[in-house]
Amino acid sequence: MRRYRRIGWLLVLIIVSAALVASVVADDGPATQSERAYEIKSTMLCPVCDGQNVLESNAPVAAAIRAQVDDLVAEGRSDGEIRAWMARQYGSDVNANPPRSGLGALVWILPVLVGVMAVGLLILAFARWRSGREIEPSEEDIRIVQALREKN
Amino acid sequence: MVRIVSAAAGLVLLSFVLVLATRDGGNGTQSKSPLIGELVPHVEGIRFDGESFDVDDVTSGWVLINFFASWCVPCVREHPELVEWNRRHRRDGVVISVPFGDTEKDARAFFVEHGGDWPVLTDNESAWAVAFGVLRPPESFLVAPGGVVVAKWQGQITADEVDRVVANLQERNAAS
């Protein structure tokens, strides 16, 4: 019975993992150049505005960045090249997404670490809880219980 | 177990503090320019007067590239200083004006009203503005003879301010 339950949980785990992987794979990025340009612009911050991306901002510098992103995408530059160029010209803060290397990478790594740790702790806690339920009473325990029953 | 969890939570908090503490300040990047010491980005186009212009042709003189807009008050205040600098450097320098965040019509009207007989070039697709990392007008870049960018100003400039940089560099070159 216990084995079937374990197999059941394993199946649930496999199905959930497969669904997560499928959802990530299915998101295969922008289909057209204009979609790609739009995606880059929506994650690029206007350097003279407070928290606005270059799509939302009316500042001349935002218009300049929008025009340049369109041009660079049309030239066939990769997302990484465009982001690196804009970061060189306007500073790394122009990219709304934190960098995936250096100290900024902690923003990406820490949530995963915390998630893994949380799952690990939960597994440990459940394992302890389950093993606690399986403890056989010692002879001393049985004697104490019997003595109490006889008293009552 | 509680100790491990507390230590892990502490580590996470410490990491966030480290990330926030080591970030660049919001204003710091605006005063820097990766262009200083580099060759000037290629600026080539048709002037408002119809003649062609290529910054690479100005090899022996100083070039003062000024990004401006007709609606920008500091640009209006700065303009007589550009006229003055242009007058002083007729033989060894040139001013280039590039409208930024402005229409060609308004930029033309600005020069009719305020004067200035130097090249004014339209920055199609804002390629030069991005290549120079311009944030807001007015911004100016001084290019030394030979084509290396030697100074950048954000905001209104004066002819004397620009000439101080020119004189310093000339002294340094004479000494070396």
Side-chain angles (χ1 to χ4, degrees), chain A residues 33-55:
Chain A
Q33 277 195 348
S34 58
E35 273 181 28
R36 189 158 81 86
Y38 183 90
E39 202 170 286
I40 295 170
K41 287 183 273 189
S42 65
T43 54
M44 202 159 269
L45 295 175
C46 162
V48 296
C49 318
D50 283 329
Q52 271 187 315
N53 66 33
V54 295
L55 277 176

Side-chain angles (χ1 to χ4, degrees), chain A residues 22-87:
Chain A
S23 67
V24 171
V25 172
D27 183 21
D28 52 0
T32 63
Q33 277 195 348
S34 58
E35 273 181 28
R36 189 158 81 86
Y38 183 90
E39 202 170 286
I40 295 170
K41 287 183 273 189
S42 65
T43 54
M44 202 159 269
L45 295 175
C46 162
V48 296
C49 318
D50 283 329
Q52 271 187 315
N53 66 33
V54 295
L55 277 176
E56 297 163 344
S57 171
N58 290 325
V61 64
I65 291 174
R66 284 196 299 266
Q68 268 301 282
V69 169
D70 286 338
D71 270 12
L72 294 170
V73 166
E75 276 177 25
R77 304 281 181 178
S78 71
D79 291 17
E81 283 176 322
I82 296 169
R83 289 186 189 286
W85 169 242
M86 293 301 175

Side-chain angles (χ1 to χ4, degrees), chain A residues 12-28:
Chain A
V12 168
L13 193 71
I14 290 168
I15 291 166
V16 170
S17 305
L20 281 171
V21 170
S23 67
V24 171
V25 172
D27 183 21
D28 52 0

Side-chain angles (χ1 to χ4, degrees), chain B residues 128-168:
Chain B
W128 303 332
V130 173
F132 281 87
V134 176
L135 290 172
R136 51 171 77 85
E139 278 191 31
S140 305
F141 297 81
L142 182 65
V143 183
V148 173
V149 179
V150 289
K152 172 191 176 179
W153 291 271
Q154 278 184 318
Q156 202 174 322
I157 56 169
T158 64
D160 289 345
E161 221 174 305
V162 180
D163 274 346
R164 261 196 296 278
V165 176
V166 171
N168 281 343

Side-chain angles (χ1 to χ4, degrees), chain B residues 82-163:
Chain B
L82 296 178
V83 173
E84 171 60 17
W85 194 86
N86 188 53
R87 188 192 62 76
R88 288 182 198 172
H89 294 271
R90 283 222 176 265
R91 289 186 179 181
D92 69 340
V94 61
V95 179
I96 299 169
S97 285
V98 182
F100 178 63
D102 206 356
T103 62
E104 188 176 321
K105 185 185 162 199
D106 289 346
R108 281 180 185 274
F110 180 90
F111 268 81
V112 169
E113 186 181 346
H114 299 284
D117 57 354
W118 54 82
V120 186
L121 304 168
T122 302
D123 182 9
N124 293 316
E125 306 301 326
S126 304
W128 303 332
V130 173
F132 281 87
V134 176
L135 290 172
R136 51 171 77 85
E139 278 191 31
S140 305
F141 297 81
L142 182 65
V143 183
V148 173
V149 179
V150 289
K152 172 191 176 179
W153 291 271
Q154 278 184 318
Q156 202 174 322
I157 56 169
T158 64
D160 289 345
E161 221 174 305
V162 180
D163 274 346

